Amino acid sequence: MRKRTAIAVATGVVTCGLLVPATVFATDALTNSSSSSAQAVKVKLSGNQWWLTGSVTIPGAKPGWKLEFDVKDGAVPQIYQGRTTVSGKHVTVTPDTYQGGEFNFGVDLAGKQTSYELTNFKLDGKPVDVQGASWKEGGSTPTPSPDPSKPPTPDPSKPPTPDPSKPPTPQPGGELKPGETWVSDKSLKMSAEFKDWGTSGQLDFTITNTGTKDLASWSAAYGLEAWLQPGDSWGDASATVQKELKRLLLTGKAPLKAGASAKVSVATTQPGPDGRPPVDAGKPAAAWRGATPFIDAAAYPTPDLAQISKDTGIKQFVLGFVVGDTQGKGLPRWGSDALTPAQHMAQQIADLRKAGGDVAISFGGENGHELAVDHKSAQELAKTYQGIIDRYNINKIDFDVEGSVQTNTAANKRRAEAVKILQDNAKKSGKALHVSLTLPSLATGLVQDGKNVLKSFTDAGARPDVVNVMAMMMGQSVPDMGKYGDAVIMAGEHLHQQLKDFFPNKSDAELWRMVGITPNIGKNNGDGGQGVGDKGVVSVADMKKIEKFAADKNIGMLSMWSVGRDQQCKNGAVQFDNACSGAKQEKYDFSKAVAQYTKEWTVGK
């Protein structure tokens, strides 16, 4: 089956400033440089007892500049942007690929260091005359009064009384707990709102100056959840991720007047479970409904499962497809790198379950990275599968194995072993888990590659409840392209015979309960192309005939690809299309035919 994707979320890394304390002392130096990168360079240094930051602004610079400096005294800075090489106390920084003319660096002094000096600044090999490129507590740099680097000595006779309504403010150099905030001035109030759209999200921040004085500069920080990956930002501040401190830093782009507010938004992506709690999607059904058509969960707009169920009579659906990220890191995704299994489909599943329905989730599909390929061990693969099972509280999973991955012996072995781990763990915990295996088919049943995938299951001791044939696009194996529905039934009959070789101890009735049939509704690709004229079509009448066959044989699963295509094409066109069937029909005619199949069984048995 084909995986359809219509949503794309742009993400990226944002170049921005590092933390600047509320009260700082800084000296700017503007020099005329003849470097190849720019004609003018601006270097800024600032610091206090906890934190020292520096920034170099190169107006109009293109990526490729090189900044060098020496650390005369103190620890080598922690560089948060750019690529850093350190030789002794000589630091060289070059920009990341996305960086232009701004570079920011910082060092966490942890409140212990009393002296810090940076010297010998060079840009593209040419000296940069920087004044104030050193920080010393009580040194030559002008120190405001009171000195922010020297907190007042507490009176031991009068211990401070903690305010229970105000949690301790983290120091600027420290990390934050998830959701915790920090602001650079006590007059600042910060609020954060997270909008979770499942496939992506957005952090919205409001920072208000509640004081009576304007703030020439300001900053704030937000503790990041481990599963959240910030991307592009927009608004009144720049934003950067400080991984070492587990937080997102916001640096104001302009002064913040008394009584005024600054607003910042940051796009996010959610890369898979990664320790996130399960979504509130309700409880799964105990019984497995034999009528379970596929739905493209990556389609746009997101399918409204409860409404579709109401309109069609279908109670359960198979949602496809969960795949790996395009970088091959094994992070699960819905349909593409941009769609992540965080909250996606959670509300739709919950609404369906409230109406008495349920879902299975299918891993794989025709397109995308296969998780079994990306993972290098069955244990890690099983962990990823289990993460999705736990996230949506499901007890029904499908593995759609097609395309080149069918011939990947190592991946097939890992997948099968991972399923065995899942089934064993479910049994130990007293939970039910229904497993179906969806494989390409000809009218003559499974091809050898499909048989090999099934054999990998039996060799590993994994137990598929259903082997589901994709009786679609069967080409020259179809005896009569004008009777495509009969060829679908033929595929199911041949599968039943083939299953006897794998499960010789099962009765005919038990083997029929292992048979799944999934036609491609309407127009099918035929013989390597579009077929001949209006032939190669599964009609609504064919679907009704297939349902009667399924009921007569009491098969385990009757499905179709897909509910999103269950409508007539524009002007009644007979064509293979992702958004319509290419058959003459009213909307949801095929789904309503499948819904007539009312067989059920207990999950996992």
Side-chain angles (χ1 to χ4, degrees):
M1 279 166 280
R2 299 183 181 273
K3 169 181 66 62
R4 310 299 176 198
T5 302
I7 304 176
V9 180
T11 59
V13 183
V14 183
T15 303
C16 53
L18 285 179
L19 181 61
V20 179
T23 306
V24 300
F25 39 92
T27 303
D28 292 347
L30 186 63
T31 68
N32 291 324
S33 170
S34 59
S35 70
S36 60
S37 290
Q39 295 179 348
V41 176
K42 184 178 182 181
V43 179
K44 181 178 180 179
L45 271 291
S46 58
N48 66 10
Q49 184 183 11
W50 288 86
W51 193 255
L52 178 70
T53 68
S55 63
V56 177
T57 303
I58 311 169
K62 296 180 179 180
W65 49 259
K66 181 173 71 173
L67 176 72
E68 298 175 84
F69 58 87
D70 293 318
V71 181
K72 183 177 179 181
D73 192 8
V76 173
Q78 300 178 35
I79 305 299
Y80 290 103
Q81 288 179 295
R83 303 176 185 180
T84 310
T85 58
V86 179
S87 177
K89 297 227 170 176
H90 183 75
V91 180
T92 302
V93 183
T94 55
D96 288 313
T97 55
Y98 58 85
Q99 270 184 275
E102 184 179 0
F103 164 68
N104 302 271
F105 60 89
V107 61
D108 184 353
L109 304 176
K112 299 178 181 179
Q113 194 159 328
T114 59
S115 177
Y116 201 90
E117 294 189 43
L118 307 179
T119 62
N120 300 328
F121 275 84
K122 292 182 180 180
L123 182 70
D124 291 346
K126 297 183 180 297
V128 180
D129 184 13
V130 181
Q131 297 178 6
S134 65
W135 173 74
K136 289 184 179 181
E137 186 176 6
S140 59
T141 309
T143 302
S145 181
D147 185 351
S149 68
K150 294 182 177 180
T153 303
D155 184 350
S157 66
K158 296 180 180 180
T161 302
D163 185 349
S165 66
K166 297 180 179 180
T169 301
Q171 294 291 346
E175 67 181 50
L176 297 179
K177 295 180 180 179
E180 192 175 28
T181 60
W182 174 88
V183 289
S184 60
D185 190 280
K186 64 181 180 180
S187 66
L188 293 173
K189 301 297 181 184
M190 178 182 184
S191 65
E193 180 185 1
F194 179 52
K195 298 175 181 177
D196 194 334
W197 301 317
T199 62
S200 61
Q202 181 175 312
L203 281 165
D204 291 329
F205 300 102
T206 301
I207 300 91
T208 302
N209 181 358
T210 62
T212 58
K213 296 182 180 180
D214 297 348
L215 295 176
S217 61
W218 61 271
S219 56
Y222 174 82
L224 286 172
E225 291 83 352
W227 44 266
L228 209 58
Q229 288 187 348
D232 291 337
S233 67
W234 58 96
D236 301 321
S238 54
T240 192
V241 177
Q242 296 174 306
K243 293 182 180 179
E244 295 85 348
L245 302 177
K246 300 179 181 179
R247 65 185 188 178
L248 181 71
L249 183 72
L250 306 176
T251 304
K253 296 178 179 178
L256 189 58
K257 294 183 178 181
S261 295
K263 294 184 179 294
V264 188
S265 295
V266 182
T268 64
T269 56
Q270 290 84 259
D274 292 340
R276 292 195 68 180
V279 297
D280 184 15
K283 294 182 178 180
W288 174 250
R289 183 66 64 90
T292 50
F294 277 82
I295 281 185
D296 184 358
Y300 182 82
T302 302
D304 185 339
L305 302 180
Q307 186 61 50
I308 294 172
S309 178
K310 181 179 179 181
D311 292 343
T312 63
I314 295 290
K315 295 297 182 183
Q316 295 182 10
F317 302 93
V318 182
L319 306 183
F321 295 96
V322 172
V323 295
D325 62 293
T326 57
Q327 287 76 38
K329 297 179 181 179
L331 293 172
R333 296 285 191 267
W334 277 110
S336 78
D337 187 44
L339 301 178
T340 67
Q343 301 290 110
H344 185 57
M345 296 297 299
Q347 188 60 54
Q348 289 81 359
I349 295 171
D351 291 344
L352 178 64
R353 285 174 172 168
K354 287 178 183 177
D358 202 7
V359 301
I361 289 181
S362 182
F363 297 90
E366 182 183 16
N367 301 316
H369 273 243
E370 238 273 9
L371 288 167
V373 175
D374 292 342
H375 285 279
K376 302 307 177 186
S377 75
Q379 290 75 19
E380 286 300 315
L381 180 58
K383 184 178 179 181
T384 296
Y385 290 151
Q386 189 66 54
I388 301 300
I389 291 171
D390 293 343
R391 172 144 307 283
Y392 294 98
N393 192 22
I394 56 174
N395 56 19
K396 310 168 190 70
I397 55 176
D398 175 71
F399 296 91
D400 185 303
V401 186
E402 51 183 303
S404 61
V405 74
Q406 293 180 90
T407 61
N408 190 323
T409 304
N412 292 335
K413 184 174 184 290
R414 275 192 297 273
R415 184 191 306 105
E417 291 174 348
V419 172
K420 178 66 163 60
I421 293 172
L422 295 177
Q423 291 179 320
D424 288 349
N425 289 343
K427 185 176 181 180
K428 290 177 183 177
S429 61
K431 297 181 179 179
L433 182 65
H434 177 93
V435 177
S436 56
L437 182 59
T438 297
L439 300 170
S441 174
L442 299 176
T444 51
L446 298 176
V447 296
Q448 188 58 50
D449 288 340
K451 292 179 183 178
N452 292 341
V453 174
L454 177 55
K455 188 175 186 301
S456 70
F457 266 60
T458 56
D459 287 348
R463 304 175 304 280
D465 297 298
V466 165
V467 178
N468 174 41
V469 288
M470 288 180 274
M472 57 185 72
M473 305 179 191
M474 296 182 289
Q476 294 179 347
S477 72
V478 178
D480 185 346
M481 291 294 288
K483 297 181 178 180
Y484 212 89
D486 291 345
V488 171
I489 292 173
M490 184 187 303
E493 291 173 330
H494 279 281
L495 172 65
H496 178 260
Q497 293 297 316
Q498 290 171 325
L499 291 177
K500 293 181 179 180
D501 295 333
F502 292 91
F503 307 99
N505 296 326
K506 289 185 177 291
S507 66
D508 273 1
E510 289 174 324
L511 292 175
W512 278 118
R513 288 298 276 163
M514 291 188 69
V515 169
I517 300 176
T518 302
N520 192 17
I521 60 174
K523 180 65 177 174
N524 279 250
N525 278 339
D527 225 11
Q530 291 293 311
V532 180
D534 60 356
K535 296 182 179 180
V537 174
V538 174
S539 66
V540 175
D542 287 331
M543 195 72 245
K544 293 179 179 179
K545 186 176 181 180
I546 294 167
E547 187 279 324
K548 184 178 184 305
F549 170 80
D552 289 343
K553 298 298 183 181
N554 194 25
I555 71 171
M557 177 180 179
L558 178 61
S559 186
M560 67 183 209
W561 181 262
S562 66
V563 174
R565 298 178 60 248
D566 196 359
Q567 57 189 335
Q568 185 167 295
C569 294
K570 189 176 182 180
N571 299 323
V574 179
Q575 62 187 34
F576 180 75
D577 197 284
N578 299 333
C580 56
S581 68
K584 295 181 180 179
Q585 66 161 112
E586 297 296 324
K587 188 173 183 178
Y588 292 144
D589 275 350
F590 286 94
S591 298
K592 291 176 181 178
V594 172
Q596 298 305 305
Y597 189 61
T598 57
K599 304 292 184 178
E600 288 186 346
W601 59 354
T602 301
V603 174
K605 294 184 180 179

